[in-house]
Amino acid sequence: MSAMSDYLENEILDHILGTGSYTAPTTVYVGLSTGSFADDNSGTELSGSGYARVAATFSAAASGTTSNSAAIEFPAATGSWGTVSHFGIFDASTAGNLLIHGAFTASKVIASGDILKISTGDLDISAD
């Protein structure tokens, strides 16, 4: 399950209705959280212990759905990241705008030395 952020919803509406122009980011980045990101990006992204957002690529959408076209592998944790349960897709490697957010099917405890990897095709994004 995924949802567009308020930012992206407004950009798309303005673009489609001719009141603004939206330029897609050249690269999108996946970020992680131990709780949900809200549409207004009020969630809390992980920080510290070797955490960093990771660039991701996605296949062209079909029937309102897409998924990652290559594996997404985060750096090894240098300390506990806690129980990672949610993701956000951002338009920058730091700061920037939240575009899409959602929950993983299963949460995962990330301890020091662990590497979180999302296999190709396992991060599903839907527009419904």
Side-chain angles (χ1 to χ4, degrees), residues 3-16 22-25 28 39-40 89 91 97-101 125:
M4 288 188 209
S5 68
D6 292 341
Y7 166 81
L8 185 59
E9 289 171 350
N10 289 333
E11 290 295 316
I12 290 171
L13 284 172
D14 288 348
H15 185 82
I16 291 170
Y22 178 68
T23 302
V28 294
D39 285 353
D40 65 357
I89 299 175
D91 61 6
N97 299 293
L98 175 67
L99 304 174
I100 296 169
H101 61 95
I125 307 296

Side-chain angles (χ1 to χ4, degrees), residues 5 17 19 25 28 38 50 52 56 58 63-65 70 88-89 96 100 105 113 116-117 127:
S5 68
L17 299 175
T19 59
V28 294
F58 290 84
S63 301
T65 302
I89 299 175
I100 296 169
T105 304
L116 189 144
K117 180 178 178 180

Side-chain angles (χ1 to χ4, degrees), residues 12-127:
I12 290 171
L13 284 172
D14 288 348
H15 185 82
I16 291 170
L17 299 175
T19 59
S21 181
Y22 178 68
T23 302
T26 54
T27 305
V28 294
Y29 300 84
V30 176
L32 304 173
S33 179
T34 57
S36 64
F37 288 100
D39 285 353
D40 65 357
N41 192 19
S42 59
T44 303
E45 185 175 6
L46 298 180
S47 64
S49 298
Y51 169 77
R53 292 178 189 167
V54 174
T57 57
F58 290 84
S59 302
S63 301
T65 302
T66 186
S67 61
N68 56 311
S69 58
I72 301 166
E73 188 169 315
F74 288 84
T78 59
S80 175
W81 289 0
T83 304
V84 174
S85 57
H86 291 75
F87 68 89
I89 299 175
F90 296 85
D91 61 6
S93 60
T94 60
N97 299 293
L98 175 67
L99 304 174
I100 296 169
H101 61 95
F104 290 115
T105 304
S107 55
K108 173 86 173 137
V109 175
I110 304 297
S112 185
D114 289 348
I115 296 173
L116 189 144
K117 180 178 178 180
I118 304 168
S119 297
T120 302
D122 281 355
L123 185 58
D124 298 321
I125 307 296
S126 61

